[in-house]
Amino acid sequence: MPTGLTSFRERGYFPAGRHPDHFNFFAGPLWAARLRGKDKGWQLAEGMIAAAQPSGTTTRAAYEALRAELLADLRAAMPVDMVLLALHGAMVAEGYDDCEGDLLMHVRGIVGPGVVVGAELDPHNHLSGAMVENADLLVSYKEYPHTDVLERALELVDLCAAKTRGDIEPVAAVADCAMVVTMHTSRQPARGFVDRIQAMEGRDGVLSISITHGFPWGDVPDMGTKVLVYTDGDAGKAERLARQLADELVAMREQFQPPNPGIDAALDEALACADGPVVISDGADNPGGGAASDATFFLQRMVERGIGAAAIGPFWDPVAARIAGEAGAGARLSLRIGGKISPLSGQPLDLECTVGRVVREHMQTGLSDTPIAMGESALVAHKGIDILLCSLRNQAMGTDLFTGIGCDLAAKKIIVVKSSQHFHASYSKLARHVIYAAAPGAVTLDLNALRYRKIKRPKWPIDA
């Protein structure tokens, strides 16, 4: 599924100066600059903000149009003392393997060497030399699930302001771990490691430490786990600390990934638990990683095995959601669900369903209490399984994704969520047990199933 301009306008697009008066997950530095600027009397020029749900490669036309708009906003605001950008870090477009590096290079070309440039990143970025070279400071979220977007944005703004005043002289060092790992900060050893690096910041000349997990479903040369350290004017210290922390990560790499049972093993494990609900992560169909969110592999086995007292979703199926909505609450009908985008979506399932509640503009609560639109949505039931259908593609984050449309999660034995980890912040408060399953899908955990052409090799665990 290519990512075009419609994808950005659907998720969140605000022309210069039009960002609403509430915090958005994808606009942390803008909100942080508003907070700090109000206290300090800054003159703030706000540029365009745009975000898309991850999909396939961004079209060249979309990237170049958005880049041109943002750079035009910057030129109109000149002269400036400081530039703050909200980036992801793993954006790939047709002809551009490193969109963020390209964008930062253009920004630096406009403002020159004397203006401070800083950016906030998602830790699942492709940290490139162009990104580090063209920014004075890069700060990644530390938490996964990403519950610290605003905290890291405030940190970025404060460091950039200190650099602007001449109070600090950030020097960067990057250490490559020659691997790619996902670090769930909801569990050890990632929790302890992140707590420890945070304790190092602001002491002994260490300004900032960011861990790049990497985004293993991106096939670009810079993909992989890296450590980025900024010290106050001490390049040698930055290099030594970055290498030390990278070596520690390598030593712990086997411990970062939780057990990943297959579909039937995950269902068996859930059914064996004395109490419910048990939450199962179907991360392979996580739209936050670029999957379609219409895979039927889990639902098919639940139906075949006669498993009831269950809920699953969200299924991105605008057609089924519309049909259920037209039929209305209480209607019984045959409904074809899922399996629409590719072979990695599985086969569509034809199920006899009863329509529960229909919500024309359904919302769920995302990380940092940000609202997430799910569009026209319907809850339908098939033999004890509640299936959530939506028309806007977003992963499961808040439990109100289900409860807000009439699903009693507390009464369920099994809840299958299409999300890799962001669900954990909310669902862990309800779950008796959490299982991270290995299912087929576009965001498969089996990295050896992916045909890499551009990444630097060897890279663990893809290579022994």
Side-chain angles (χ1 to χ4, degrees):
M1 299 183 294
T3 305
L5 284 172
T6 300
S7 299
F8 286 90
R9 296 183 184 278
E10 188 175 73
R11 171 80 181 279
Y13 168 76
F14 306 102
R18 302 264 301 272
H19 190 276
D21 190 26
H22 63 75
F23 173 70
N24 261 314
F25 179 79
F26 49 81
L30 181 147
W31 194 253
R34 283 186 183 181
L35 295 176
R36 290 293 192 256
K38 182 179 180 181
D39 295 338
K40 300 178 184 298
W42 293 349
Q43 182 181 349
L44 183 61
E46 297 183 359
M48 176 270 292
I49 289 284
Q53 187 66 24
S55 299
T57 304
T58 302
T59 64
R60 179 188 290 268
Y63 172 62
E64 291 182 347
L66 292 170
R67 181 187 65 184
E69 182 177 353
L70 188 62
L71 296 177
D73 294 342
L74 176 57
R75 291 188 185 96
M78 291 293 288
V80 298
D81 300 300
M82 187 164 68
V83 176
L84 301 166
L85 297 169
L87 305 177
H88 181 281
M91 184 179 184
V92 176
E94 296 169 348
Y96 299 90
D97 280 349
D98 178 18
C99 290
E100 284 84 357
D102 174 73
L103 180 60
L104 284 163
M105 180 182 66
H106 280 81
V107 168
R108 181 60 72 191
I110 292 171
V111 302
V115 171
V116 175
V117 177
E120 185 178 32
L121 304 174
D122 188 298
H124 302 107
N125 62 68
H126 303 312
L127 187 64
S128 69
M131 292 164 64
V132 177
E133 290 162 13
N134 288 289
D136 293 278
L137 285 152
L138 300 171
V139 174
S140 294
Y141 322 145
K142 286 183 170 63
E143 302 294 336
Y144 185 39
H146 304 326
T147 55
D148 63 334
V149 176
L150 182 55
E151 289 84 350
R152 299 289 76 76
L154 290 166
E155 177 183 309
L156 172 73
V157 172
D158 290 343
L159 287 170
C160 286
K163 163 69 173 171
T164 302
R165 294 191 304 266
D167 296 342
I168 59 173
E169 188 55 47
V171 177
V174 177
D176 193 339
C177 298
M179 66 180 187
V180 58
V181 298
T182 297
M183 299 169 56
H184 293 176
T185 54
S186 56
R187 57 192 294 274
Q188 299 293 358
R191 178 72 269 149
F193 185 83
V194 167
D195 288 343
R196 190 159 62 84
I197 63 172
Q198 282 193 284
M200 294 179 184
E201 295 175 319
R203 301 176 56 186
D204 303 321
V206 177
L207 299 176
S208 174
I209 303 172
S210 291
I211 308 301
T212 287
H213 302 191
F215 184 70
W217 302 279
D219 184 20
V220 298
D222 291 299
M223 190 275 279
T225 302
K226 299 172 186 176
V227 178
L228 171 62
V229 173
Y230 288 96
T231 58
D232 190 2
D234 191 337
K237 182 168 189 170
E239 291 170 3
R240 290 189 298 273
L241 182 56
R243 187 68 262 165
Q244 172 196 325
L245 295 173
D247 290 343
E248 291 180 20
L249 288 176
V250 172
M252 293 187 288
R253 65 189 186 186
E254 300 275 2
Q255 304 173 52
F256 287 127
Q257 186 64 37
N260 300 125
I263 293 176
D264 279 300
L267 293 172
D268 290 342
E269 183 179 338
L271 292 170
C273 290
D275 298 313
V278 176
V279 175
I280 302 176
S281 162
D282 182 11
D285 198 31
N286 172 23
S293 195
D294 75 335
T296 57
F297 302 108
F298 252 105
L299 179 58
Q300 180 175 350
R301 289 301 295 143
M302 293 163 71
V303 170
E304 290 170 349
R305 294 180 56 168
I307 293 174
I312 185 170
F315 273 88
W316 179 54
D317 195 332
V319 174
R322 171 63 61 85
I323 292 171
E326 288 293 307
R332 293 180 57 83
L333 73 165
S334 298
L335 202 58
R336 174 162 287 191
I337 295 174
K340 292 180 170 63
I341 298 302
S342 80
L344 292 176
S345 299
Q347 293 297 316
L349 299 182
D350 295 298
L351 304 176
E352 293 296 319
C353 295
T354 301
V355 180
R357 187 175 173 189
V358 175
V359 178
R360 298 300 178 187
E361 295 183 6
H362 187 35
M363 304 289 292
Q364 67 166 321
T365 303
L367 301 177
S368 301
D369 293 325
T370 54
I372 297 178
M374 303 302 296
E376 182 177 21
S377 301
L379 188 72
V380 302
H382 172 78
K383 295 184 178 179
I385 304 173
D386 283 354
I387 305 164
L388 177 60
L389 309 171
C390 65
S391 54
L392 292 180
R393 192 170 58 93
N394 283 295
Q395 67 178 296
M397 290 196 191
T399 52
D400 55 352
L401 170 70
F402 289 96
T403 60
I405 199 168
C407 179
D408 183 5
L409 291 180
K412 303 301 181 185
K413 175 68 174 182
I414 296 174
I415 305 167
V416 179
V417 292
K418 293 181 180 294
S419 173
S420 297
Q421 172 66 351
H422 286 337
F423 73 92
H424 195 278
S426 179
Y427 287 78
S428 62
K429 300 172 185 176
L430 172 76
R432 298 289 182 152
H433 182 50
V434 175
I435 301 169
Y436 296 89
V443 193
T444 176
L445 294 174
D446 182 9
L447 302 185
N448 288 299
L450 305 178
R451 295 190 295 271
Y452 293 104
R453 295 172 298 161
K454 298 180 180 180
I455 66 170
K456 294 177 183 176
R457 311 287 287 262
K459 193 177 301 293
W460 185 92
I462 301 161
D463 303 296

